[in-house]
Amino acid sequence: EVVGLRVEDIVLDAEAPYISLHRNSMRRLKTKSSKRLIPLVGTALEWATQGLGEGSGFIFDKYVNEEQAVIKNDTASATANKRLKAWITVDGKMPTCHSFRHTMATRLRDAQCPKDIREELGGWAKSISDGYGSPTDLRIKQQYLEASI
């Protein structure tokens, strides 16, 4: 999902800065639950506030070929996994990009984040909903994410 992220999908001037994951001309979403707002915290927020490139308008433009209407998800994943292998190997095993989704869910659970919010942040369910996308909803999610790191 993140490989097709555009500069305009990152909202920094909100009370709780966030990423807006949604379908765009280059990125499809797996399910309706994949469309969501994710507060930026920790290193992700630091990275986003350091300035985003102009270029093509895509954050990871190296992995986007607009002429062929292709996002190189496999290449991006392989590159990230190669970097992870160089940095983190525990007992001969290395995490993958995908394992971070599960780590996030575990950390949120350990921070006593309710299951419905964990599932919504991970894109597995969209059940909270009356307040979806509201400033209050984003602040609540932000607090749980901060508690998880």
Side-chain angles (χ1 to χ4, degrees), residues 2-147:
V2 76
V3 177
L5 196 65
R6 297 186 64 91
V7 172
E8 68 229 24
D9 297 334
I10 297 179
V11 180
L12 297 174
D13 61 352
E15 185 174 334
Y18 64 92
I19 290 174
S20 175
L21 279 179
H22 56 88
R23 185 177 187 278
N24 67 32
S25 62
M26 295 294 294
R27 177 187 59 223
R28 67 174 186 80
L29 297 178
K30 290 181 182 179
T31 68
K32 289 180 182 179
S33 299
S34 296
K35 180 180 176 181
R36 61 200 186 276
L37 304 180
I38 304 172
L40 287 164
V41 298
T43 304
L45 179 58
E46 288 176 31
W47 168 81
T49 58
Q50 289 178 2
L52 304 170
E54 296 297 317
S56 68
F58 286 93
I59 302 297
F60 302 102
D61 59 353
K62 176 180 181 178
Y63 302 106
V64 177
N65 183 328
E66 289 186 88
E67 290 176 15
Q68 295 179 2
V70 172
I71 291 185
K72 303 172 192 174
N73 289 317
D74 292 340
T75 304
S77 182
T79 301
N81 287 335
K82 184 177 178 180
R83 298 280 305 258
L84 286 171
K85 184 178 182 180
W87 291 336
I88 307 169
T89 301
V90 179
D91 298 328
K93 297 178 184 174
M94 69 164 219
T96 62
C97 295
H98 185 74
S99 66
F100 283 110
R101 288 174 63 91
H102 298 284
T103 299
M104 182 180 84
T106 300
R107 286 183 173 191
L108 286 166
R109 185 194 63 222
D110 292 348
Q112 300 180 351
C113 178
K115 184 178 180 181
D116 57 345
I117 294 176
R118 289 193 316 261
E119 289 180 349
E120 189 171 327
L121 284 167
W124 295 297
K126 187 173 175 182
S127 58
I128 295 181
S129 52
D130 283 346
Y132 178 74
S134 72
T136 302
D137 183 50
L138 284 169
R139 278 194 307 277
I140 290 167
K141 290 175 187 174
Q142 180 185 43
Q143 289 169 354
Y144 282 116
L145 285 167
E146 287 172 343

